[in-house]
Amino acid sequence: AFCTAQSGRALNEGADPTLVACMAGGLTGLWGDLDLDSPGTPEDERGPLVAFRFDMDANAGITEATDKDHFPAAQGFASCHAGCMHACGHDGHIAALLSAAGILQQSKEKLNGKVKLIFQSAEENGTGAAELIEAGELDDVEGIFGLHIWNYLDAGKIGVNNGPQMTEAIEFQIHLEGNPGHGSTPHLAADATLPIAALAVQIMNLSGSKLPPLSDKVLTLGRIYSGPNRTIEHGDVYNI
């Protein structure tokens, strides 16, 4: 959703007010067409419209390290906003697409067609692509290309796969409700902590025994929360 505080920060840091105003509906992606056809090229001789799509959103809720051993901090490009950083490398995506645009522009005499340059928002929560499609920006696109940086490939190498390359995250939440009580009288409570722990083990066992070894599916339990007090038998626990 569009955040007034963030738009104000963008303006204070020198963002174009016209561009910020376009984001008032919450769509913070950016795209534009690079026409590589020579001026005056007849319509039936124009090249295809293809798109280069790179995501650019940052990760909320994560504050970047500032110590000298952290490479971005040492090199001067770490996030300067607490609680928000490019933990997934999308700042590198932005740089890559800008570089690609420059190379295409320099080589336009050798090319024809049109390239839509897409800086997609909201990849992390899964809404950015749908918003882009709903806006009609892919209606005439004949092909779309994208990539994602990968920590396990050396710099300068490109990995190509036949079929799915990266998974989509689908979140789930399990809520167990018991009856809270004091830790000194567990017989008077229905502690939900032990059941959720047992359930977590069984869920992970299922992922190892029921999913095919070469499956492109991964199951991860990211958080178990059972309450803040160490002396309480907690009646409500959450697994996320």
Side-chain angles (χ1 to χ4, degrees):
F2 181 69
C3 178
T4 302
Q6 292 175 345
S7 65
R9 187 185 75 190
L11 291 170
N12 290 336
E13 294 180 356
D16 186 339
T18 305
L19 181 60
V20 174
C22 293
M23 301 177 182
L27 183 59
T28 54
L30 180 68
W31 54 82
D33 292 344
L34 179 61
D35 194 346
L36 302 175
D37 286 312
S38 301
T41 301
E43 191 65 32
D44 59 350
E45 296 180 12
R46 288 182 171 272
L49 170 61
V50 298
F52 288 178
R53 171 267 181 199
F54 288 53
D55 41 10
M56 68 172 188
D57 52 328
N59 301 87
I62 306 176
T63 297
E64 188 156 12
T66 57
D67 58 273
K68 62 180 181 180
D69 294 328
H70 181 55
F71 184 80
Q75 296 295 314
F77 62 89
S79 172
C80 56
H81 301 292
C84 189
M85 68 168 289
H86 277 292
C88 202
H90 295 178
D91 48 348
H93 294 176
I94 298 170
L97 186 51
L98 287 172
S99 298
I103 293 172
L104 288 170
Q105 179 64 27
Q106 294 170 5
S107 307
K108 63 182 306 181
E109 292 81 8
K110 307 174 184 178
L111 304 169
N112 68 328
K114 186 180 292 185
V115 178
K116 185 179 291 291
L117 306 170
I118 301 173
F119 297 87
Q120 184 196 303
S121 64
E123 180 269 343
E124 294 292 344
N125 65 15
T127 64
E131 292 173 341
L132 190 68
I133 293 171
E134 290 171 4
E137 289 303 316
L138 300 184
D139 289 353
D140 299 324
V141 173
E142 298 182 38
I144 186 166
F145 303 88
L147 58 78
H148 200 294
I149 63 170
W150 191 242
N151 294 353
Y152 305 106
L153 281 179
D154 294 334
K157 292 185 177 180
I158 297 175
V160 180
N161 191 38
N162 182 20
Q165 181 68 49
M166 305 185 78
T167 58
E168 176 191 5
I170 300 175
E171 297 184 2
F172 66 93
Q173 178 173 302
I174 300 171
H175 176 204
L176 296 188
E177 184 175 345
N179 183 34
H182 198 273
S184 64
T185 56
H187 59 294
L188 300 178
D191 184 10
T193 302
L194 290 178
I196 196 69
L199 181 59
V201 172
Q202 292 303 315
I203 288 175
M204 297 313 297
N205 284 338
L206 281 174
S207 68
S209 62
K210 298 301 182 182
L211 294 178
L214 300 180
S215 170
D216 55 4
K217 301 175 180 62
V218 177
L219 178 61
T220 301
L221 300 180
R223 182 178 69 162
I224 296 178
Y225 175 76
S226 182
N229 197 313
R230 63 185 178 87
T231 63
I232 298 297
E233 298 277 340
H234 295 290
D236 294 289
V237 295
Y238 295 86
N239 166 263
I240 301 175

